[in-house]
Amino acid sequence: MTRDGSLDLLFPLMARVPTTLPWRLAGRIGRESAAEREHLLRWLEGLFARVFPNAAAAEHAQWAKAHLAMLAQEMVDAMAFHRLGRFGGPSIDLQGVEHAKSLARQGKGFILVLNHFDRLLTAPVALARAGIATNVLTMPVLDNPELQAAQRRFLLRKIHGYTKVTGGTWHTTSDGLRPVHESLRAGQGWVILADAWRPEFGRLRGHPFLGGELNLPTGIERLAQSTGVALLHAVTYSRSPDRLEVVVEPLPDNPRQAIDTVIQRLEQDVLARPWAWWHWGLWDQMWQPTPKAEGNS
């Protein structure tokens, strides 16, 4: 099937099939054509061999397959957020929800920090199931001139389904940050990705990561500093296609230390589950070797 056909028909139709069969089939069907899949698998295997030279070739191949399977399962999630954590859909084991509930009871706003790791949007869905609504702040994806018509339609359906379940709004940086500031101060929660990255981003800060530095924007820490809200971190671990675990943790009060903690956790998670990080395609842009100190050869 063509890419447009997958976006317009295959995944939306799969998401309607009863039971968790769609998620178990998604990894086998994939998002790509057979030719594209083989090319991506070889490319990922080569990248994993470069980043993790001490792992065996068989592990590199396994991670590559698991990475593509995870992305395909997330495509089903995107068309079936309403089924996550419900009968007939993937189960969610939510840990640490008390941290968000405590802030909500006090009427305090918070930023829920995520990374592009595993089936990440399960975390806000899980909080919504527990009675905690959140908004989300993203880059202006729909404004991307490279976005094709089928991709735009798919994203619009994804955004509609996501906000219907989470009870909040989908806001982009191009819409301005004033509503975000006001909403946080009014006691609402906002989901923001710490490892969001675009080549035109400015005000980046380096974080130790896999033997080098990951350069990431400082927007979250500046937003937290200006509003004085708490920061929480959430990560999703897919234990199987239809069994998900979400862990919510408090972060240090100092926003800079909080984001440092988030990226440290991301590094630990990527070391344990390399296949689950989304950004391998941006590796050579986001990551740099650690600069050598002056005087060292």
Side-chain angles (χ1 to χ4, degrees), residues 73-105:
Q73 289 153 10
E74 196 276 339
M75 296 277 282
V76 181
D77 291 344
M79 296 294 99
F81 286 120
H82 62 286
R83 296 182 59 188
L84 302 184
R86 292 288 194 239
F87 178 77
S91 65
I92 304 175
D93 175 17
L94 174 58
Q95 303 174 27
V97 67
E98 65 274 9
H99 303 300
K101 284 187 172 181
S102 175
L103 292 169
R105 280 195 301 268

Side-chain angles (χ1 to χ4, degrees), residues 81 134 136 158-171:
F81 286 120
T134 53
V136 62
K158 177 178 182 177
I159 291 168
H160 174 75
Y162 175 85
T163 54
K164 187 174 181 180
V165 170
T166 57
T169 61
W170 186 292
H171 192 85

Side-chain angles (χ1 to χ4, degrees), residues 6-7 10-16 22-23 26 31 70-84 90 118-122 125 151-165 170 244 278:
S6 294
L7 294 170
L10 179 60
F11 283 101
L13 289 175
M14 283 179 63
R16 297 181 184 180
W23 285 271
R31 307 187 307 170
M70 178 268 294
L71 293 177
Q73 289 153 10
E74 196 276 339
M75 296 277 282
V76 181
D77 291 344
M79 296 294 99
F81 286 120
H82 62 286
R83 296 182 59 188
L84 302 184
D118 215 319
R119 289 153 65 184
L120 62 154
L121 293 181
T122 303
V125 170
Q151 293 172 311
R152 186 180 302 277
R153 289 190 294 269
F154 186 89
L155 281 172
L156 285 169
R157 286 195 293 266
K158 177 178 182 177
I159 291 168
H160 174 75
Y162 175 85
T163 54
K164 187 174 181 180
V165 170
W170 186 292
L244 303 164
W278 288 47

Side-chain angles (χ1 to χ4, degrees), residues 49-233:
R50 181 155 56 95
V51 179
F52 305 101
N54 295 327
E59 287 183 287
H60 299 150
Q62 180 184 9
W63 295 342
K65 291 178 181 177
H67 180 74
L68 296 187
M70 178 268 294
L71 293 177
Q73 289 153 10
E74 196 276 339
M75 296 277 282
V76 181
D77 291 344
M79 296 294 99
F81 286 120
H82 62 286
R83 296 182 59 188
L84 302 184
R86 292 288 194 239
F87 178 77
S91 65
I92 304 175
D93 175 17
L94 174 58
Q95 303 174 27
V97 67
E98 65 274 9
H99 303 300
K101 284 187 172 181
S102 175
L103 292 169
R105 280 195 301 268
Q106 299 173 67
K108 294 183 177 179
F110 64 88
I111 298 173
L112 182 70
V113 185
L114 308 182
N115 284 305
H116 284 90
F117 186 84
D118 215 319
R119 289 153 65 184
L120 62 154
L121 293 181
T122 303
V125 170
L127 286 183
R129 301 292 187 221
I132 309 294
T134 53
N135 308 289
V136 62
L137 177 65
T138 73
M139 296 182 293
V141 289
L142 292 175
D143 298 344
N144 185 350
E146 298 176 3
L147 206 62
Q148 297 179 357
Q151 293 172 311
R152 186 180 302 277
R153 289 190 294 269
F154 186 89
L155 281 172
L156 285 169
R157 286 195 293 266
K158 177 178 182 177
I159 291 168
H160 174 75
Y162 175 85
T163 54
K164 187 174 181 180
V165 170
T166 57
T169 61
W170 186 292
H171 192 85
T172 71
T173 52
S174 63
D175 297 324
L177 293 181
R178 183 174 178 178
V180 181
H181 282 257
E182 293 175 348
S183 174
L184 284 168
R185 292 191 176 105
Q188 295 187 24
W190 281 82
V191 174
I192 310 179
L193 291 159
D195 65 344
W197 192 90
R198 292 281 297 175
E200 65 269 20
F201 280 178
R203 305 181 77 170
L204 303 177
R205 184 162 70 85
H207 299 265
F209 195 82
L210 300 183
E213 283 192 348
L214 201 62
N215 291 297
L216 298 172
T218 58
I220 295 176
E221 52 200 82
R222 288 185 282 113
L223 181 60
Q225 188 73 47
S226 65
T227 58
V229 300
L231 288 155
L232 300 176
H233 174 238

Side-chain angles (χ1 to χ4, degrees), residues 32-46 68:
E32 316 82 11
S33 68
E36 289 173 330
R37 182 178 178 84
E38 285 305 309
H39 173 76
L40 281 171
L41 287 172
R42 302 292 86 78
W43 181 84
L44 283 165
E45 288 168 16
L68 296 187

